Amino acid sequence: MLSSLKQKIIDYVFTVSKQPILLKDLLIANSQYLQKLHVDPVKLGFRLKVGRAYLVYIALVILFTVPFTAITHGLFANLDPHVSIIVAMLLTAVIFIFFNFFRVWLVDQVALSQIKKGWQVHFPFFPYKEYNRKIDKIFQQSNKLELPKKDLQKYILDNLVD
């Protein structure tokens, strides 16, 4: 259920291109993803709809803050108003800060999904989980050799077989 909810959120928040991902773009994106760098969304063919991301985030925040405020209302009603103001300020800051984390998480999820889809096109007989690091290593070697794009796939497949 959680994965289907995640997929519905991703489908609602992103525009994903139907164009296939080019081999070199896929290999660069995989390398960046493995190094925990930000992946270029244009090369993987997706775009974040920021307004919709805000709407989903606001819904999630409301889902968690309403029960929190219902539980803690009695406590804060009896405390000094200054404590309530400080807690409200901190909670507001946390909500705004965590939107950036939420956005990065969404982009990472879509990037991995797009990488796996592209992987199925270019390397259908090599499962992503098993071969992603091996192919990345071979791709790094090919960059050092400055191979042209047309020879890249042949070089990778030849080195995988060895």
Side-chain angles (χ1 to χ4, degrees), residues 14-152:
F14 284 95
T15 300
V16 179
S17 174
K18 291 179 182 10
Q19 296 292 323
I21 300 167
L22 300 174
L23 175 65
K24 187 152 187 165
D25 291 342
L26 173 68
L27 294 170
I28 290 170
N30 181 53
S31 181
Q32 290 172 338
Y33 185 81
L34 291 176
Q35 295 172 16
K36 307 234 185 274
L37 298 173
H38 291 289
V39 178
D40 185 10
V42 174
K43 291 190 179 205
L44 288 179
F46 66 89
R47 184 177 68 83
L48 175 70
K49 298 175 186 173
V50 179
R52 289 186 177 187
Y54 272 115
L55 288 175
V56 169
Y57 184 70
I58 288 168
L60 291 172
V61 165
I62 288 172
L63 207 85
F64 289 108
T65 55
V66 168
F68 173 75
T69 55
I71 292 169
T72 60
H73 176 71
L75 174 70
F76 286 119
N78 296 330
L79 284 177
D80 185 29
H82 293 93
V83 175
S84 297
I85 292 170
I86 291 171
V87 169
M89 287 174 23
L90 290 174
L91 186 62
T92 303
V94 166
I95 288 170
F96 280 106
I97 290 169
F98 270 88
F99 176 73
N100 288 326
F101 292 117
F102 176 70
R103 191 180 66 206
V104 168
W105 176 79
L106 282 173
V107 169
D108 284 346
Q109 295 302 309
V110 171
L112 181 60
S113 171
Q114 288 296 100
I115 289 170
K116 286 182 178 180
K117 282 181 190 174
W119 200 270
Q120 289 299 315
V121 171
H122 294 288
F123 304 108
F125 302 110
F126 301 99
Y128 179 77
K129 277 190 170 186
E130 191 176 331
Y131 287 95
N132 63 359
R133 296 203 185 275
K134 292 177 187 175
I135 290 178
D136 182 47
K137 222 180 244 185
I138 296 168
F139 174 61
Q140 297 305 328
Q141 292 170 353
S142 73
N143 279 342
K144 291 176 186 172
L145 297 174
E146 297 179 7
L147 289 175
K149 286 183 184 180
K150 64 181 181 172
D151 299 333
L152 186 59

